[in-house]
Amino acid sequence: MIELADVLDARERVESVARHTPLEYSHSFSAMTGAAVHPKLEVFQRTGSFKLRGATNRIALLSADEQAAGVVTASAGNHAQGVALAATRADVDSVVVMPEHAPIAKVKATRSYGAEVVLHGEDYDAAQAHAHEIEADDDRTYVHAFNDPAVMAGQGTIGLEIVEDCPEVDTVVVPIGGGGLIAGIATAIKARSPDTRVIGVEAEGAPSASRSLQQGSIQELDGVDTIADGIATRKIGDRTFEVIEERVDEVVTVSDPEIAVAITTLLERSKTLVEGAGAVPMAAVLSEAFEYADDEVIVPALCGGNIDLNMLRTVVMRGLVETGRYLRLRTTLTDQPGSLEQLIGIISAERANIYAIQHDRTSRDTGMTATEVEIDLETRGEDHVAALLDELESSGYDVDVLV
């Protein structure tokens, strides 16, 4: 099991490559939650993710022969970029295997940092299996994304920075995928500030750590399903699990809608772009997935900002829907002049803003003298949506809420 000394040694290797990222008090999130929220902005790390730290530490420990043979790894994207940049800076050849459906932005970025990218498999586990084949065929060193003491120690340097920048911290909230990040951070936090809680957060669609802790042994999931692709791992590492059992106080889960709300709120209130895996700590704070006191000093570790733009568009829309800021509804009108005007009049009186209107006179679900109408609306919150729907229904409209 890694110890504080490993993390301290890692910092000496990592600090010349990785940035000491900001940790700032958030007035907005503190007001929203009642806690004193200080986000750790690891999204501003080089490559946009914490993964550079662990990759740099691992590659710095390669022997001369291992450096000459090169490295290989598997990753959904962030570890890929970390390995690519760390290897290039160390003049080591790198091959990175990524799932076939990895975000385009992460694939392009990994190539730009100097790695050869191989797309293989449906998810991280399939990509990992192929990377091990390359490891055996080419005699390369495999750089594991999380289940490696050197990688864990490198990630743990974030914990050192948190305690140094916010010594009054009560609770640190950390994402969990394979467990390398939280294993490293928990090691540093518990050694430097033993009374500080460490809370792990998983996506509901990838709860490998939660299930493993419940069963007392590592459990492999049949599959994963979450917008937080960076933590969509079917099985936690055996080495990381050992550390989590001993040093993590609690593990909770958050839903994809809660993650979407966190991403959207971070964009709007903090002007900070965070990917799904990086946003789960803030999602846990906002949704009160764990208990905390008023004015408790909480540090959510926002550890990744590499979100695909197509995914971002979907997530922002879902976040607006979840917070009552966007509404799509469908209703049926009599197909005669003035019918649409009457409907728009009600919507206007309720001060909802119309984005788009679509008529469909050919729907088999309507009569020959009726027309089906779908309307996209900008609304001002859940209470506003409820008031608008009540007014429409009281005016005789049969309304279906589509999103």
Side-chain angles (χ1 to χ4, degrees):
M1 187 181 298
I2 64 168
E3 301 295 343
L4 176 63
D6 300 304
V7 182
L8 293 172
D9 289 344
R11 178 155 66 175
E12 294 182 4
R13 305 182 190 103
V14 168
E15 62 186 358
S16 64
V17 179
R19 297 173 179 147
H20 185 130
T21 51
L23 190 154
E24 301 176 353
Y25 176 76
S26 171
H27 292 276
S28 295
F29 286 102
S30 297
M32 292 167 64
T33 63
V37 181
H38 297 68
K40 172 62 171 173
L41 298 174
E42 189 69 8
V43 292
F44 297 136
Q45 185 55 262
R46 297 182 65 182
T47 75
S49 162
F50 71 97
K51 292 287 191 177
L52 177 64
R53 297 174 184 258
T56 296
N57 191 46
R58 180 66 184 89
I59 289 172
L61 293 171
L62 294 175
S63 68
D65 288 343
E66 289 171 333
Q67 290 179 11
V71 297
V72 61
T73 193
S75 170
N78 287 336
H79 179 63
Q81 294 173 67
V83 169
L85 180 57
T88 297
R89 283 183 58 88
D91 198 25
V92 173
D93 185 69
S94 62
V95 175
V96 176
V97 185
M98 304 177 73
E100 292 175 357
H101 302 295
I104 295 172
K106 293 183 179 181
V107 174
K108 288 184 176 180
T110 302
R111 287 181 174 139
S112 74
Y113 291 128
E116 175 188 347
V117 175
V118 177
L119 299 178
H120 182 90
E122 289 293 318
D123 57 17
Y124 167 77
D125 297 272
Q128 183 186 48
H130 187 61
H132 282 305
E133 293 174 359
I134 295 173
E135 173 192 15
D137 292 343
D138 297 350
D139 197 29
R140 291 176 178 267
T141 296
Y142 184 81
V143 181
H144 202 285
F146 50 85
N147 202 36
D148 183 311
V151 170
M152 287 185 268
Q155 322 302 26
T157 58
I158 296 173
L160 298 177
E161 293 176 12
I162 289 173
V163 174
E164 291 165 1
D165 294 346
C166 188
E168 70 276 21
V169 60
D170 295 311
T171 300
V172 179
V173 192
V174 186
I176 300 181
L181 174 64
I182 196 168
I185 289 179
T187 297
I189 294 292
K190 290 300 184 180
R192 285 291 174 87
S193 181
D195 292 335
T196 297
R197 286 195 302 170
V198 178
I199 305 291
V201 189
E202 296 182 292
E204 283 184 356
S208 60
S210 302
R211 293 191 184 177
S212 298
L213 289 169
Q214 290 168 2
Q215 297 296 322
S217 62
I218 295 174
Q219 304 294 307
E220 183 170 2
L221 306 175
D222 294 332
V224 292
D225 183 15
T226 175
I227 62 172
D229 58 280
I231 55 173
T233 305
R234 292 204 302 250
K235 184 172 69 172
I236 197 169
D238 58 343
R239 290 170 171 170
T240 61
F241 181 63
E242 180 184 25
V243 180
I244 290 170
E245 276 195 305
E246 180 172 309
R247 297 171 183 164
V248 173
D249 296 277
E250 184 180 359
V251 175
V252 300
T253 61
V254 291
S255 67
D256 275 5
E258 289 167 340
I259 297 170
V261 169
I263 293 172
T264 305
T265 309
L266 281 161
L267 269 175
E268 186 171 50
R269 302 302 294 271
S270 295
K271 311 303 181 282
T272 303
L273 178 61
V274 184
E275 65 183 278
V280 295
M282 190 63 81
V285 176
L286 291 174
S287 66
E288 299 183 15
F290 62 94
E291 293 184 2
Y292 53 84
D294 290 344
D295 297 322
E296 182 170 330
V297 179
I298 301 176
V299 175
L302 309 183
C303 287
N306 295 315
I307 188 168
D308 181 77
L309 292 181
N310 289 323
M311 174 62 75
L312 177 62
R313 178 177 59 183
T314 301
V315 166
V316 168
M317 185 61 67
R318 184 60 182 269
L320 293 174
V321 170
E322 292 293 328
T323 54
R325 303 275 298 282
Y326 185 89
L327 175 68
R328 178 178 297 157
L329 58 83
R330 178 172 59 207
T331 190
T332 301
L333 307 178
T334 302
D335 192 10
Q336 63 184 29
S339 293
L340 181 59
E341 182 180 5
Q342 292 175 9
L343 175 63
I344 292 175
I346 295 172
I347 293 172
S348 177
E350 290 296 319
R351 303 187 65 80
N353 186 35
I354 297 174
Y355 277 135
I357 300 177
Q358 180 177 341
H359 284 81
D360 185 1
R361 292 182 172 86
T362 63
S363 173
R364 294 181 179 179
D365 296 328
T366 59
M368 298 294 289
T369 59
T371 181
E372 188 175 84
V373 177
E374 289 187 10
I375 305 180
D376 289 18
L377 300 169
E378 178 187 13
T379 47
R380 300 193 305 275
E382 295 176 355
D383 292 342
H384 186 209
V385 170
L388 174 60
L389 293 176
D390 285 345
E391 183 62 27
L392 289 171
E393 290 172 359
S394 66
S395 299
Y397 293 96
D398 185 12
V399 177
D400 293 324
V401 175
L402 303 182
V403 294

